[in-house]
Amino acid sequence: MQSHSQASIEGKQLAALTLAAIGIVYGDIGTSPLYALKEVFNHGHLPLTPESIYGILSMMFWTLTIVVSLKYVTLILRADNNGEGGLIAMLALASRAVADQPALRKRLLALGIFGTAIFFGDGVITPAISVLSAVEGMEVAAPALERFVVPITLVVLTALFMVQKHGTSGIGKFFGPITALWFLVLALLGIVHIVKNPAVLAAMNPLYGLRFAFEHPGMAFVALGSVILCATGAEALYADMGHFGKKPIRLAWFSLVMPALALNYFGQGAMLLAHPENVTNPFFEMAPHWALYPLVGLATCATVIASQALITAAFSVTKQVIQLGYLPRLRILHTSEKETGQIYIPFVNWVLYGCIVLAVVFFGSSGKLAAAYGITVTLDMFITTVMTFFVIRYAWKLSLPVCLAATGFFLVIDLLFLSANVIKIVDGGWFPLLIGVVMFTLMMTWRDGRHLLSERLRSDAIELRPFLDAVFCSPPLRVEGTAVFLNADAGTTPNALLHNLKHNKVLHQQNLFVTVRSHEVPYISDAERVEVEDLGNNCWQVMLHFGFKNEPDVPEALKLLQPKGVQLDDMQTSYFLSRDIVIPTIGGGMLPWREKLFAGMHRNAAGVADFLNLPTNRVVELGSKVEI
């Protein structure tokens, strides 16, 4: 039985995690009241009648209930991969579950990678529309300030991306309290107007939404494309599960986030029933005039926090995709000495910034951006539901009727929202889709190119053990120290060893032939990190295993060899790498433009030393040319 002090400590930890989850997990969905209801009426061209207001409020309330509360909070959070969530974790879980069905596994991998690529399109639109919506509140206070909205938005976004290299450890502790205050303000604004017209709460009855859909099917279908905006950010509940755990995320949603969102939407509806002319910006019209500027400031802080969470997620997802072998190595910097998960990827940061600036300048307003928003969100929701089916069917071994019942209902809902957003592609939905398709092309080109390169190297490779046996028949001069040869294909002779023997005509006293393997699990423990095989003559074949969320630190991992009889001295250990130069050839296995693209990506990939945390002063790179 727990003591009172233990229960008190656990209660404090739960409260702290819940507050942190409010700041990180719910920033995106928490800023949706800035634009969601406004866009339903503006984009859908719905008449502002009590019937339509009640119908839309009912649809939004039940979207939050079904999509977020039931699908994500109740079902999807159960599908954890060793405690981790997100589409990459789900993809790994599903692909392992169908490992005995190669054709199905290949299709699932392609679908999951496409969903990951689409995430980057969402990552461009979310900060742009969120910050724009917040700054547009100035127009309500002073219409003459309209021309400053875009410049101020760009200044805010520029400052946000410029501070990324410094990390968020210093200011991250304020995210939870500020976002919690934001939700309390959302609830308060809603309550003020609900009190004036409490009858609006009747829209919680689903019959209002169903009646509106049956009587006006065309308008209701178009409206669905904007109604889903109230659930943007739902994927973050699942993606951030590994950081906070299920309980804090669920507690935050049911105790604060959902009540605040529902109250605010109903408050906006109550105000529109009395003042339909406020539909151009119902969120800020809810506030008294004296509170507009403070509300704009708080809204801007909330949208910056939401954008920060998404930028951090982009860094994390990119790193995971790199370790799974779908993107080339990029320069990754750590912004915290304590938290290994706090990283900064300069290339991703500035490409994301450039695309967001382009979106803000090109679209110019949150209303026009809303037309581009939704397609990527609903695509990811659809893909997550499909993946969930394969997890619960093949990993959890549930019966087919149960699996169809558990995911079929959500799949129908996802398809409704997805088809409603397809009609928005010509109005701007093409923009995030284009980003997603470009990312998907890069990912699949890199994967296919690596496969071709590996096959070509393997076809020319020499088996390691027979080669060493031949070498030690007439051994070369042995020099002090340890040589670590990084080798992509275990059991074959590294090109770096061949070059070293050819040019230097020496061999170190100890030689490690190291192959790094990334696996479709988030983490691999130190106990399972190393496999070693003694090849004789102080030579060892070493296999290092990392999960896609592990830090691939080779020197640190090699220290685990000491209990196995391999003694290493950091000052006398050299790392030998083969830096292959890829030369595209016609008919190499991919279309010519993809071969050239892969060659360019390979040429500009970050060095292995940086990515594997090797001491660069102890690295020797020996190059060779490979045609594909």
Side-chain angles (χ1 to χ4, degrees):
M1 191 171 180
Q2 281 187 328
S3 67
H4 177 74
S5 59
Q6 287 176 325
S8 176
I9 291 172
E10 289 185 5
K12 290 179 181 179
Q13 290 175 339
L14 179 61
L17 284 172
T18 302
L19 183 61
I22 290 171
I24 301 298
V25 177
Y26 293 109
D28 189 0
I29 198 171
T31 55
S32 58
L34 288 167
Y35 50 80
L37 189 63
K38 174 181 70 173
E39 295 311 321
V40 170
F41 288 99
N42 290 340
H43 180 75
H45 305 292
L46 298 181
L48 267 172
T49 62
E51 178 191 20
S52 64
I53 292 174
Y54 275 82
I56 294 302
L57 287 178
S58 181
M59 292 165 69
M60 295 181 83
F61 176 79
W62 284 99
T63 295
L64 289 173
T65 301
I66 294 172
V67 173
V68 184
S69 297
L70 293 181
K71 177 183 171 181
Y72 281 95
V73 176
T74 303
L75 175 62
I76 303 295
L77 284 186
R78 296 176 183 270
D80 65 289
N81 191 338
N82 295 331
E84 293 294 324
L87 195 52
I88 292 290
M90 176 80 79
L91 169 62
L93 204 59
S95 65
R96 290 205 316 275
V98 296
D100 57 340
Q101 303 179 57
L104 177 58
R105 183 176 183 273
K106 185 176 180 181
R107 294 189 186 97
L108 281 180
L109 283 170
L111 181 64
I113 291 301
F114 180 70
T116 304
I118 287 296
F119 161 79
F120 289 97
D122 183 29
V124 170
I125 298 296
T126 298
I129 192 173
S130 298
V131 178
L132 259 177
S133 298
V135 179
E136 282 172 350
M138 296 190 311
E139 298 177 21
V140 177
L145 297 177
E146 179 182 357
R147 66 181 186 275
F148 296 109
V149 168
V150 169
I152 291 176
T153 299
L154 293 177
V155 168
V156 172
L157 289 169
T158 301
L160 175 62
F161 279 89
M162 287 186 70
V163 301
Q164 291 305 309
K165 63 182 178 181
H166 301 296
T168 59
S169 55
I171 60 174
K173 58 187 177 183
F174 298 110
F175 286 2
I178 292 174
T179 309
L181 174 62
W182 169 251
F183 281 114
L184 291 174
V185 170
L186 289 183
L188 179 62
L189 288 173
I191 289 170
V192 168
H193 290 275
I194 291 171
V195 167
K196 297 176 183 178
N197 189 358
V200 74
L201 294 176
M204 285 190 289
N205 188 335
L207 291 177
Y208 281 96
L210 292 172
R211 186 183 301 123
F212 180 74
F214 282 119
E215 293 179 359
H216 308 283
M219 287 192 294
F221 180 73
V222 173
L224 281 177
S226 298
V227 167
I228 192 60
L229 296 180
C230 73
T232 57
E235 285 282 341
L237 278 73
Y238 181 46
D240 290 318
M241 178 171 59
H243 296 291
F244 305 103
K246 301 172 187 178
K247 192 172 182 179
I249 290 175
R250 286 171 171 156
L251 181 60
W253 173 252
F254 287 114
S255 65
L256 177 62
V257 179
M258 185 177 179
L261 292 174
L263 286 170
N264 193 266
Y265 285 125
F266 282 116
Q268 290 187 44
M271 182 195 65
L272 290 178
L273 286 170
H275 303 283
E277 69 278 4
N278 289 342
V279 73
T280 53
N281 203 327
F283 176 80
F284 285 103
E285 293 287 359
M286 296 173 73
H289 194 271
W290 61 266
L292 277 174
Y293 287 112
L295 185 59
V296 169
L298 180 60
T300 303
C301 289
T303 56
V304 165
I305 291 172
S307 301
Q308 176 61 61
L310 194 141
I311 295 167
T312 301
F315 294 155
S316 178
V317 168
T318 300
K319 180 186 173 186
Q320 293 172 31
V321 171
I322 290 172
Q323 291 186 209
L324 285 176
Y326 283 90
L327 278 178
R329 295 178 302 275
L330 296 173
R331 186 167 174 244
I332 299 176
L333 305 177
H334 291 267
T335 58
S336 172
E337 295 181 358
K338 298 179 180 179
E339 298 292 333
T340 59
Q342 292 190 19
I343 59 174
Y344 168 66
I345 306 179
F347 180 80
V348 174
N349 186 72
W350 294 114
V351 169
L352 197 61
Y353 170 73
C355 291
I356 291 173
V357 168
L358 184 63
V360 170
V361 173
F362 180 78
F363 290 96
S365 71
S366 62
K368 292 178 180 177
L369 267 171
Y373 207 16
I375 184 69
T376 54
V377 174
T378 50
L379 264 174
D380 268 344
M381 288 180 173
F382 171 77
I383 291 171
T384 299
T385 304
V386 172
M387 291 287 179
T388 303
F389 170 81
F390 288 98
V391 170
I392 65 177
R393 174 69 177 134
Y394 294 100
W396 297 359
K397 307 296 183 183
L398 299 182
S399 66
L400 183 60
V402 170
C403 295
L404 290 174
T407 58
F409 172 69
F410 296 119
L411 196 63
V412 170
I413 300 295
D414 290 338
L415 284 172
L416 273 174
F417 281 119
L418 180 58
S419 14
N421 274 280
V422 167
I423 62 178
K424 296 163 61 176
I425 290 178
V426 294
D427 295 328
W430 57 269
F431 184 74
L433 275 181
L434 177 63
I435 295 172
V437 169
V438 169
M439 286 301 303
F440 180 71
T441 302
L442 292 174
M443 289 179 181
M444 298 308 289
T445 297
W446 182 254
R447 186 206 63 174
D448 294 344
R450 275 170 49 93
H451 178 70
L452 287 173
L453 181 61
S454 178
E455 284 188 337
R456 187 60 51 89
L457 290 172
R458 194 178 296 115
S459 66
D460 298 330
I462 303 169
E463 285 191 45
L464 179 59
R465 188 181 284 274
F467 177 80
L468 290 177
D469 290 341
V471 167
F472 287 112
C473 285
S474 179
L477 177 67
R478 305 292 289 267
V479 296
E480 290 186 3
T482 300
V484 177
F485 294 94
L486 272 294
N487 191 17
D489 194 9
T492 62
T493 305
N495 286 334
L497 173 62
L498 297 174
H499 285 293
N500 189 45
L501 287 173
K502 178 181 178 181
H503 297 292
N504 298 325
K505 297 178 177 56
V506 296
L507 201 63
H508 286 71
Q509 286 292 344
Q510 290 190 126
N511 295 275
L512 305 181
F513 302 95
V514 177
T515 300
V516 176
R517 287 281 180 267
S518 291
H519 296 270
E520 294 174 355
V521 293
Y523 296 102
I524 289 178
S525 66
D526 285 349
E528 302 172 297
R529 176 84 64 229
V530 178
E531 287 182 44
V532 60
E533 178 186 357
D534 192 345
L535 301 176
N537 298 294
N538 283 340
C539 296
W540 292 271
Q541 173 73 61
V542 180
M543 185 79 74
L544 301 181
H545 301 279
F546 296 95
F548 59 78
K549 296 198 78 172
N550 278 128
E551 190 68 27
D553 191 329
V554 168
E556 190 66 26
L558 291 179
K559 292 179 182 178
L560 299 172
L561 291 173
Q562 293 184 10
K564 301 178 186 291
V566 182
Q567 302 300 317
L568 297 176
D569 182 343
D570 289 342
M571 298 305 297
Q572 289 189 311
T573 300
S574 298
Y575 297 85
F576 291 83
L577 310 177
S578 178
R579 179 72 172 182
D580 299 313
I581 301 172
V582 176
I583 303 174
T585 57
I586 302 300
M590 292 192 296
L591 293 173
W593 68 268
R594 291 187 71 202
E595 291 181 5
K596 292 180 180 178
L597 176 60
F598 172 73
M601 294 169 72
H602 193 278
R603 183 172 57 251
N604 291 292
V608 176
D610 287 337
F611 190 73
L612 298 179
N613 290 300
L614 304 180
T616 52
N617 62 323
R618 308 293 300 173
V619 170
V620 179
E621 286 197 359
L622 300 170
S624 59
K625 294 182 179 180
V626 182
E627 293 185 353
I628 61 167

